[in-house]
């Protein structure tokens, strides 16, 4: 298995490093701590304009359809810069689950908005029991006439205060196997 960077990946790494060094110095990170949103909106849009939000989103949804490894390269540079913002929650915790489990309609509607930086997502996974396995899902969802009513407590939902959508795991059926009967709600 070849794990060295391709020429394109090295260009991505270098351009991300240079961009973040210029646009996200420590002063920007400190200022974001005081910002109600928790990140600079201008920086978010610049990253979207670079195509970062759509990096792993397929072309058909306005993304660039690059690899998960490309995303890891970008995330490493973001970590090095201590990038403030909902990139991880939107792209990794939001867009990737939508690609796997979303309906065609959800993909057509939401993925282009993510790719263009117009939509922020997050997930609600941590519960009071601090167990993030299937057994730990205690939030319930009860079907009512045309909707579901979710009942439970989720902790540490990153960027929930600015998210347009939250993906929430809830138990819809109490079954013998604890990994069955769990539904993702948008």
């Amino acid at each position: 298995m070849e794990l060295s960077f391709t020429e394109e990946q090295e260009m991505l790494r270098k351009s991300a490093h240079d961009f973040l060094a210029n646009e996200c110095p420590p002063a920007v990170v400190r200022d974001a701590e005081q910002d109600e949103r928790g990140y600079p909106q201008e920086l978010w849009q610049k990253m979207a304009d670079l195509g970062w939000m759509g990096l792993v989103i397929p072309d058909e949804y306005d993304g660039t359809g690059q690899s998960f490894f490309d995303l890891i390269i970008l995330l490493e540079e973001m970590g090095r810069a201590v990038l403030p913002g909902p990139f991880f929650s939107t792209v990794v915790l939001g867009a990737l689950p939508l690609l796997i489990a979303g309906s065609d309609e959800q993909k057509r509607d939401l993925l282009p908005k993510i790719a263009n930086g117009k939509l922020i997502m997050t997930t609600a996974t941590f519960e009071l029991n601090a167990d993030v396995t299937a057994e730990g899902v205690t939030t319930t969802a009860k079907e009512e006439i045309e909707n579901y009513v979710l009942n439970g407590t989720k902790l540490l939902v990153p960027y929930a205060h600015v998210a347009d959508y939250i993906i929430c795991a809830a138990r819809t059926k109490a079954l013998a196997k604890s990994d069955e009967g769990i539904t993702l709600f948008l």
Side-chain angles (χ1 to χ4, degrees):
M1 173 183 274
E2 179 62 41
L3 294 178
S4 59
F5 293 162
T6 64
E7 186 176 326
E8 293 81 14
Q9 289 169 333
E10 183 56 39
M11 287 174 37
L12 172 64
R13 188 207 59 75
K14 182 169 179 8
S15 66
H17 179 84
D18 293 347
F19 173 84
L20 291 166
N22 290 329
E23 298 291 334
C24 190
V28 168
V29 176
R30 281 191 296 277
D31 289 347
E33 291 178 329
Q34 305 306 314
D35 186 321
E36 184 178 292
R37 295 181 64 85
Y39 67 97
Q41 181 64 33
E42 311 79 46
L43 179 59
W44 179 259
Q45 194 54 55
K46 286 179 182 179
M47 293 184 329
D49 293 344
L50 288 171
W52 290 3
M53 308 318 172
L55 192 73
V56 292
I57 295 174
D59 305 1
E60 65 188 290
Y61 304 116
D62 293 348
T64 56
Q66 292 179 302
S67 74
F68 192 74
F69 192 66
D70 295 326
L71 177 62
I72 298 302
I73 292 168
L74 187 57
L75 288 170
E76 182 178 38
E77 290 304 322
M78 289 175 172
R80 187 183 326 278
V82 192
L83 175 74
F87 182 88
F88 188 84
S89 68
T90 298
V91 175
V92 177
L93 301 178
L96 291 177
L98 273 174
L99 280 168
I100 295 167
S103 68
D104 290 339
E105 181 182 342
Q106 289 169 334
K107 291 175 188 178
R108 281 191 308 274
D109 179 36
L110 302 177
L111 290 174
K113 292 174 185 170
I114 291 172
N116 293 308
K118 305 299 181 202
L119 188 136
I120 294 173
M121 291 189 70
T122 193
T123 57
T125 53
F126 293 102
E127 300 206 14
L128 290 173
N129 60 17
D131 184 353
V132 294
T133 65
E135 292 86 13
V137 177
T138 59
T139 297
T140 60
K142 183 179 178 191
E143 190 171 10
E144 302 231 333
I145 299 167
E146 291 184 18
N147 297 300
Y148 280 82
V149 175
L150 278 64
N151 187 9
T153 301
K154 298 289 187 175
L155 303 175
L156 306 171
V157 181
Y159 292 96
H161 67 293
V162 294
D164 298 295
Y165 290 95
I166 298 174
I167 296 174
C168 180
R171 192 164 293 285
T172 50
K173 296 177 186 162
L175 299 172
K177 288 187 169 185
S178 60
D179 62 340
E180 294 177 354
I182 297 174
T183 302
L184 296 178
F185 290 88
L186 183 63

